[in-house]
Amino acid sequence: MKKYYLTTPIYYVNDAPHIGHAYTSLACDVLARFKRLDGFDVMFLTGTDEHGQKVAKSAAAAGIDPQTFTDKVSQNFRNLAATLKISNDDFIRTTEERHKKACQALWNELLKRGEIYLDKYAGWYAVRDEAYYGEDELKDGPNGKKIAPSGAECEWVEEPSYFFKLSAWGDRLLKFYDDNPDFILPHTRRNEVTSFVKSGMRDLSVSRTAITWGVPVPNEPKHVMYVWLDALTNYLTAIGYPDTNAGSFKKYWPADLHMVGKDILRFHAVYWPAFLMAAGLEVPKRVFAHGWWTNEGQKISKSLGNVIDPYELITTYGLDPTRYFLMREVPFGNDGDFARDAMIRRINSDLANGIGNLAQRTLSQIAKNCGGKVPTPGAFTDTDKALLSMAEALLPQLRALMDVQSFSKSLDAIWSVIGEADRYVDEQAPWALKKTDIARMETVLYVLAETLRNLGLFLQPFMPDSANGLLDQLGVATDDRTFANVGTAHALEAGAALPAPQGLFPRYVEPAA
Ligand code: MSP
């Protein structure tokens, strides 16, 4: 069985979950569901990043010890995943014992291979990014502060520290990018990574002595690991590292995809492959950096008070419409704007008037005019065959698009079949055939039901509840909902009784003021 191992970033537990967290998790969920339906053995990992200065500071500000604090906030992220119906196979917390063990084993491996040495760090650090910056990367901010390219304030740090010999990995990283042109997607992001590497990298400080909230460095009681080395290792922990001979490590490593936001690409596409190569481990196949959402054209920030709460979106618009909007509105990889009008337009035109109307028209005519049973088709005309084969041909198209994380293009492809099916109903006018040619009416309704069955199969990863509702109404057995059932070879059985039709994609109606 083919395997597919994909991960979300693990989220910092310093804050409440927001649309950014929901977005990354959702994109992974859609892909994980797609791959499962397509017969892959999927391992889908998400979790929380609980160490480091930023989390320690938030715990202190809340007046509780970091462990109690992280227990509480981590649970909020688990709850969000459940609310979004994220189908993750594991949820990792970096404060778990299994993770400490993995981090320390990786550390020992790097030490043994001479990739880590003890020295002293003197330089800039941004707590918000948990990142070190070179003087040349910083700008002067108000009141003498130094500001990182991300906008985060930096502080001067001087402390004994272990270093990872990152400077020695530049050429090997550049060769790796050349040999693996699809390692970084979208391709437009490749340059920023290669130019950072080409600019000449300094060795990376990988332990801290000024803080204590972290994984202890083996045999060095004063040092805890740099939070990014700790965090990135989660991708190994979850599949059993350091037991590289265990079944799950052997089966799933290297990861097929690390999904990240564009702000954390450098950690995943530079530091992480360097750590892995240095430890003699294989490098993941891809890092995809998605864009950022703005809110009605404005940058989202806590200080502006315009943070988008995923729970609020779901309460207002429903889970599936929210999932649909986030995956459809913006080509994945680009930045996108969250606008209320755009959301409502998508719900009403694509969902209610699009797939909703097509399903409703078809199912209600079947209920009324075919005795609530799957109609019996006669011979198919070329027009019938064209629509059926268009729906079937979606499978190879979607496979290719999903393999490069083109979620919105996948939905475009599905919607072009919906558009074609709409034209087909209008042309064939089954309601008129009812008076003139019942046999032909049955054929037309059968072709539509069969098209809807295929559409329902393909919509499952994006809108699991609505798509399964549609398949229920078509009488498709739960076991017959994988992509192995796509196409005419697995078509609906004529004469099978169907449940009474129900609306699945309601219009968005403005609540009364
Ligand atoms: N803990 C690190 C990741 C470690 S992975 C080994 C981290 N955590 S985070 O909580 O800050 O990550 C949030 C994720 O949400 C990132 O992928 C980030 O890009 C994403 N987003 C944060 N704000 C966002 C938007 N406004 N829009 C879309 N995604 C955004 O980084």
Side-chain angles (χ1 to χ4, degrees):
M1 202 178 187
K2 300 159 289 178
K3 68 92 185 176
Y4 198 82
Y5 178 25
L6 79 168
T7 66
T8 73
I10 47 171
Y11 304 117
Y12 284 128
V13 290
N14 63 314
D15 210 352
H18 57 64
I19 192 173
H21 306 116
Y23 186 50
T24 322
S25 293
L26 216 63
C28 285
D29 184 57
V30 170
L31 194 49
R33 288 174 184 270
F34 186 92
K35 289 286 180 187
R36 283 191 204 105
L37 290 166
D38 206 16
F40 284 72
D41 174 347
V42 171
M43 166 68 186
F44 169 18
L45 178 68
T46 188
T48 43
D49 187 356
E50 307 191 2
H51 289 131
Q53 201 167 353
K54 167 152 129 168
V55 171
K57 266 188 160 176
S58 300
I64 33 184
D65 70 280
Q67 189 62 59
T68 314
F69 178 77
T70 54
D71 287 348
K72 190 170 139 229
V73 186
S74 176
Q75 190 57 44
N76 297 340
F77 281 90
R78 253 184 225 266
N79 296 347
L80 176 69
T83 306
L84 293 169
K85 302 223 164 127
I86 301 298
S87 62
N88 54 299
D89 298 289
D90 194 357
F91 186 101
I92 190 167
R93 301 183 53 192
T94 55
T95 47
E96 289 172 68
E97 201 49 39
R98 59 171 173 162
H99 182 63
K100 183 174 143 196
K101 193 171 127 203
C103 288
Q104 293 183 333
L106 183 64
W107 181 279
N108 285 333
E109 190 62 35
L110 293 171
L111 197 67
K112 189 177 88 191
R113 291 169 177 254
E115 298 289 346
I116 284 183
Y117 62 92
L118 182 63
D119 201 344
K120 201 173 136 195
Y121 180 75
W124 296 101
Y125 192 77
V127 176
R128 200 183 83 188
D129 302 345
E130 296 281 20
Y132 301 95
Y133 289 103
E135 181 96 37
D136 48 338
E137 292 180 278
L138 307 180
K139 282 204 203 88
D140 290 319
N143 48 42
K145 294 271 199 285
K146 290 281 184 188
I147 307 293
S150 63
E153 261 181 25
C154 295
E155 56 188 48
W156 183 257
V157 170
E158 270 189 47
E159 57 184 347
S161 172
Y162 278 92
F163 283 80
F164 169 73
K165 289 182 183 165
L166 183 64
S167 61
W169 288 93
D171 290 343
R172 280 172 286 186
L173 283 170
L174 292 170
K175 178 166 184 329
F176 175 79
Y177 305 141
D178 270 349
D179 293 346
N180 299 279
D182 292 334
F183 173 63
I184 298 165
L185 282 192
H187 288 130
T188 47
R189 298 237 160 249
R190 225 176 115 89
N191 261 351
E192 75 187 52
V193 172
T194 52
S195 59
F196 172 71
V197 175
K198 282 184 190 149
S199 72
M201 297 183 296
R202 283 175 293 268
D203 288 350
L204 181 71
S205 162
V206 287
S207 77
R208 307 231 30 209
T209 41
I211 65 162
T212 53
W213 182 238
V215 175
V217 169
N219 309 315
E220 278 286 12
K222 291 209 170 66
H223 293 250
V224 296
M225 287 182 205
Y226 170 41
V227 66
W228 270 100
L229 173 57
D230 159 350
L232 289 160
T233 305
N234 91 86
Y235 303 135
L236 298 175
T237 308
I239 51 166
Y241 186 84
D243 191 356
T244 50
N245 286 316
S248 63
F249 193 90
K250 276 204 153 128
K251 176 160 50 164
Y252 292 120
W253 197 257
D256 294 273
L257 174 68
H258 294 315
M259 186 80 87
V260 301
K262 61 181 183 178
D263 53 319
I264 54 173
L265 179 58
R266 186 189 288 186
F267 301 95
H268 284 83
V270 181
Y271 301 164
W272 184 226
F275 295 153
L276 290 166
M277 289 195 256
L281 293 167
E282 276 185 86
V283 174
K285 295 191 190 139
R286 175 167 305 153
V287 176
F288 192 107
H290 67 66
W292 273 45
W293 287 92
T294 49
N295 187 357
E296 307 284 344
Q298 268 199 320
K299 191 174 173 215
I300 295 176
S301 87
K302 263 204 288 193
S303 50
L304 289 174
N306 65 349
V307 173
I308 301 177
D309 173 2
Y311 289 106
E312 213 172 289
L313 292 185
I314 295 167
T315 315
T316 313
Y317 305 106
L319 175 59
D320 278 352
T322 302
R323 290 175 63 111
Y324 174 77
F325 177 82
L326 293 175
M327 292 297 107
R328 178 79 193 262
E329 186 66 3
V330 187
F332 199 65
N334 293 8
D335 290 335
D337 184 43
F338 185 91
R340 197 182 143 71
D341 285 354
M343 174 76 141
I344 296 171
R345 220 176 306 124
R346 289 269 176 212
I347 296 177
N348 290 343
S349 59
D350 300 3
L351 298 181
N353 292 344
I355 180 72
N357 188 37
L358 178 67
Q360 186 76 18
R361 291 214 263 183
T362 306
L363 291 163
S364 64
Q365 288 184 71
I366 290 177
K368 265 203 310 233
N369 304 332
C370 308
K373 295 196 180 100
V374 173
T376 304
F380 293 134
T381 64
D382 286 348
T383 319
D384 302 341
K385 286 183 199 155
L387 182 60
L388 290 170
S389 60
M390 199 177 168
E392 187 163 350
L394 272 175
L395 182 57
Q397 280 176 53
L398 294 176
R399 278 190 181 129
L401 290 167
M402 295 295 273
D403 271 339
V404 289
Q405 288 75 50
S406 287
F407 302 108
S408 65
K409 281 193 191 148
S410 299
L411 288 166
D412 289 345
I414 296 175
W415 254 259
S416 68
V417 175
I418 295 174
E420 208 50 51
D422 276 337
R423 270 187 290 281
Y424 175 88
V425 199
D426 291 342
E427 268 169 36
Q428 303 294 323
W431 50 88
L433 289 169
K434 188 186 153 201
K435 294 172 206 129
T436 56
D437 188 347
I438 293 278
R440 178 64 196 153
M441 175 201 77
E442 294 240 350
T443 307
V444 168
L445 290 175
Y446 183 86
V447 168
L448 286 166
E450 210 7 56
T451 304
L452 281 170
R453 184 183 69 88
N454 285 297
L455 290 169
L457 295 177
F458 296 130
L459 286 172
Q460 291 174 99
F462 298 92
M463 297 185 280
D465 290 344
S466 325
N468 282 294
L470 177 58
L471 295 170
D472 289 345
Q473 297 198 28
L474 291 162
V476 178
T478 331
D479 286 348
D480 296 339
R481 295 182 184 188
T482 68
F483 295 160
N485 297 285
V486 167
T488 40
H490 307 272
L492 291 165
E493 201 186 315
L498 297 177
Q502 277 169 4
L504 284 168
F505 300 91
R507 287 186 71 77
Y508 178 80
V509 184
E510 218 48 86

